[in-house]
Amino acid sequence: MYRRLQILVEFIARALAIAGGFVLLCLIVLTCVSIIGRALVPLDIGLGPIRGIYDMTEIGMAAAIFAFLPWAQLSEAHARVDLFQPIMPKSMDRFLDLAFNLAMLLVAAVGTWRLYLGMQDKLSFGETTLIAQIPVWQGYAASLHGAMGFIIVAAFCVLRSGRRMAGLPD
């Protein structure tokens, strides 16, 4: 059962990270096209920068960052200070790992909850971006996918840490 859950969680984290990478690649292409268009403005051939590129970049970057969080959590790639780890007993290290994962689960849950409330707020007021007039709630909704994946992965990491404390294999 644990192995199936591990495979599912790894699939979710990997799929979100790949989606985040795809969003970044799209933003790179859009930015390059916009810069080329900006350079062609003096030629007066009807080409120019992409209108609202800053708005699209802002929304895309937020969505990509949230999409990368589950993979960072699963692979234990978040920044940690392991100054005293070499001199700590293994049991204390495993306990701190569990405490860290519990804290990350709390951060993921609270952050996702607040992101959802922010999305509802932007949706109810109909707020749009300044230049492209993109509804702001769409950026929140795009980020919410990664945030929900973050909760799932963080909960699995708590389970994984608990298993390590009990001496069970990963």
Side-chain angles (χ1 to χ4, degrees):
M1 180 68 178
Y2 175 77
R3 182 70 183 135
R4 285 184 186 155
L5 184 61
Q6 184 179 24
I7 290 168
L8 176 65
V9 167
E10 187 172 327
F11 173 77
I12 291 169
R14 190 178 301 270
L16 284 168
I18 289 169
F22 181 73
V23 167
L24 286 181
L25 287 174
C26 289
L27 289 176
I28 289 168
V29 169
L30 280 175
T31 302
C32 289
V33 168
S34 185
I35 290 169
I36 291 167
R38 188 178 311 267
L40 295 176
V41 166
L43 300 178
D44 198 27
I45 57 175
L47 298 176
I50 296 174
R51 182 173 164 81
I53 186 69
Y54 298 115
D55 300 339
M56 291 180 241
T57 302
E58 181 180 4
I59 290 170
M61 286 300 294
I65 289 167
F66 273 99
F68 294 140
L69 286 174
W71 184 255
Q73 178 66 18
L74 184 65
S75 59
E76 301 179 45
H78 288 294
R80 291 172 56 170
V81 178
D82 294 333
L83 185 62
F84 298 109
Q85 187 179 18
I87 60 173
M88 275 193 298
K90 279 286 188 200
S91 60
M92 180 63 140
D93 187 41
R94 288 184 183 129
F95 173 76
L96 289 175
D97 188 48
L98 178 63
F100 171 78
N101 283 315
L102 281 168
M104 288 304 285
L105 177 58
L106 179 67
V107 166
V110 170
T112 303
W113 169 55
R114 298 307 300 175
L115 188 64
Y116 175 75
L117 292 178
M119 181 189 73
Q120 292 296 326
D121 185 56
K122 301 299 180 188
L123 184 60
S124 67
F125 286 107
E127 189 175 330
T128 60
T129 59
L130 184 64
I131 299 170
Q133 297 298 304
I134 300 168
V136 175
W137 70 268
Q138 291 178 358
Y140 282 74
S143 299
L144 208 50
H145 290 88
M148 289 187 295
F150 189 27
I151 291 175
I152 293 167
V153 171
F156 172 78
C157 289
V158 169
L159 174 65
R160 181 176 63 187
S161 293
R163 287 177 56 91
R164 286 178 183 164
M165 277 189 70
L168 297 172
D170 279 349

